[in-house]
Amino acid sequence: MCTCIAEIKESYTKVRHQTAEVAQQNFDMDDYLDKVNVVRNKLEQITAETSNLIETVRCHFTEFDVQETVELLAHSTPILILMDQLSQKLLDSSLYPGLKTVVENYRYCVSDFQELCSDLQTYNIDIPRDEKCKEVEELLRKLA
């Protein structure tokens, strides 16, 4: 059982709220530079917070039991949906030319988060439940 699960859940909540806040922005041409700066700053914050979350989860990856992993993945699903919506909104926005670099950094970070979620599912849920893996693990224990 991981001792940092509460901290990680708090990070999930923070990323979800920050993503939702930026996704609610109206990306039109009025006050173009002001909007670009506001969105750039917020998107950089989300990217940094998401990167920190990914790093924290990766550092404790092997400590999570199945239940904790299920909980983290349950938190991940709405965040991934919001992230996808925000990415699409940013790409379609008239502000995109002024945000291209920060949007691409954000999208790479989103991809890393998706990969993390996939890894959590595979290595912490699917493999431990797989009968063949259990058999191999038992054989390895006998050999040791």
Side-chain angles (χ1 to χ4, degrees):
M1 176 161 292
C2 183
T3 58
C4 63
I5 198 78
E7 175 188 336
I8 290 171
K9 286 180 184 179
E10 185 177 318
S11 289
Y12 271 86
T13 301
K14 192 172 186 180
V15 168
R16 187 181 73 239
H17 287 295
Q18 289 175 337
T19 303
E21 182 180 322
V22 174
Q24 293 172 1
Q25 296 285 322
N26 184 9
F27 301 149
D28 57 21
M29 288 299 286
D30 295 340
D31 304 317
Y32 182 81
L33 291 177
D34 291 338
K35 287 282 190 184
V36 165
N37 287 331
V38 167
V39 173
R40 176 183 288 122
N41 291 338
K42 297 250 184 210
L43 204 53
E44 287 172 345
Q45 288 175 342
I46 294 169
T47 302
E49 187 66 36
T50 303
S51 293
N52 290 339
L53 172 60
I54 292 166
E55 182 65 26
T56 301
V57 173
R58 288 255 182 240
C59 286
H60 298 280
F61 195 88
T62 59
E63 298 171 33
F64 302 129
D65 61 24
V66 172
Q67 181 59 36
E68 289 169 333
T69 302
V70 169
E71 287 179 38
L72 292 179
L73 290 173
H75 286 291
S76 300
T77 301
I79 294 171
L80 286 169
I81 292 168
L82 274 173
M83 288 176 158
D84 184 54
Q85 291 170 348
L86 177 57
S87 290
Q88 194 57 49
K89 188 173 183 178
L90 290 164
L91 290 172
D92 294 342
S93 168
S94 60
L95 299 178
Y96 179 72
L99 296 169
K100 186 174 182 177
T101 301
V102 73
V103 169
E104 290 305 311
N105 290 340
Y106 173 70
R107 294 183 73 213
Y108 288 130
C109 189
V110 169
S111 178
D112 288 346
F113 187 64
Q114 290 169 330
E115 182 180 341
L116 172 70
C117 293
S118 176
D119 289 349
L120 282 168
Q121 178 68 42
T122 300
Y123 296 106
N124 290 11
I125 295 176
D126 296 342
I127 289 176
R129 290 181 178 171
D130 184 80
E131 288 302 318
K132 288 186 180 183
C133 288
K134 286 180 182 179
E135 291 172 14
V136 170
E137 190 176 84
E138 184 60 33
L139 286 172
L140 290 172
R141 272 192 218 131
K142 288 179 182 177
L143 291 174

